[in-house]
Amino acid sequence: MGTEPRIRVSAILRWGGRILLCRHEKDGRHYWLLPGGGVNSGESLVRALHRELSEEVGVNDEIPVEGPVAIVDSIAPPPSPNRKHVVHVIFAADVTGSLEGVVSQDDAVRGHRAFLLRELESITLHPPIHRFLQRWQPGDPAAYLGEMWAP
């Protein structure tokens, strides 16, 4: 493959019965991600998650998180010249307050939106974990969701 897998932490942020997602854009296409990002060397998963939540959505408090609740492998299929491999480690948390306070310091984030669960099927979500998000409940056992790739 040539490159090592990258670890990405993210959170299912439940906000008033909705899930907060970040909009990204690449090559003229937009898609949605759970807020989060890469883990730095020497950084714990939870510390990386809190840093990323601060950067991507302005959640500066170290909110209590559940999990990990899921793990997903995103592996680019051959013959991709750069066989990208991201291991997604997904946590969950409840967030309160107004969405007007959601501000990103990350240039890759093009916006935010809190989606109702029934709205998830109509969006491009990376990784494509729509069904998991619609079914997951706090306290469910952690799940390995397998290999999922969305171009």
Side-chain angles (χ1 to χ4, degrees):
M1 260 194 222
T3 61
E4 296 293 320
R6 185 170 71 90
I7 299 172
R8 182 180 192 276
V9 290
S10 60
I12 302 168
L13 292 182
R14 296 180 305 269
W15 208 309
R18 297 169 181 252
I19 295 176
L20 184 65
L21 299 177
C22 296
R23 187 172 154 260
H24 286 238
E25 193 172 314
K26 188 174 189 178
D27 300 326
R29 298 180 305 164
H30 77 273
Y31 54 93
W32 297 89
L33 295 169
L34 292 171
V39 177
N40 296 326
S41 179
E43 190 175 41
S44 74
L45 296 175
V46 172
R47 187 173 309 269
L49 179 64
H50 284 124
R51 176 182 51 76
E52 287 291 343
L53 292 179
S54 175
E55 291 172 8
E56 287 211 347
V57 294
V59 174
N60 294 313
D61 299 330
E62 291 198 1
I63 57 174
V65 295
E66 178 181 350
V69 299
I71 298 173
V72 177
D73 275 309
S74 290
I75 304 172
S80 178
N82 299 328
R83 288 278 322 268
K84 186 175 181 180
H85 180 182
V86 180
V87 178
H88 299 268
V89 181
I90 303 169
F91 292 82
D94 289 311
V95 182
T96 58
S98 169
L99 281 178
E100 292 183 17
V102 175
V103 177
S104 180
Q105 299 172 22
D106 188 328
D107 291 338
V109 176
R110 300 286 188 241
H112 306 87
R113 181 170 164 212
F115 287 88
L116 293 169
L117 293 177
R118 69 176 180 267
E119 295 177 303
L120 295 177
E121 286 297 329
S122 66
I123 66 169
T124 302
L125 181 64
H126 290 200
I129 57 170
H130 305 76
R131 283 185 35 197
F132 173 77
L133 292 176
Q134 290 169 329
R135 295 177 179 180
W136 181 81
Q137 295 293 316
D140 282 356
Y144 173 63
L145 303 180
E147 292 183 27
M148 297 182 165
W149 177 258

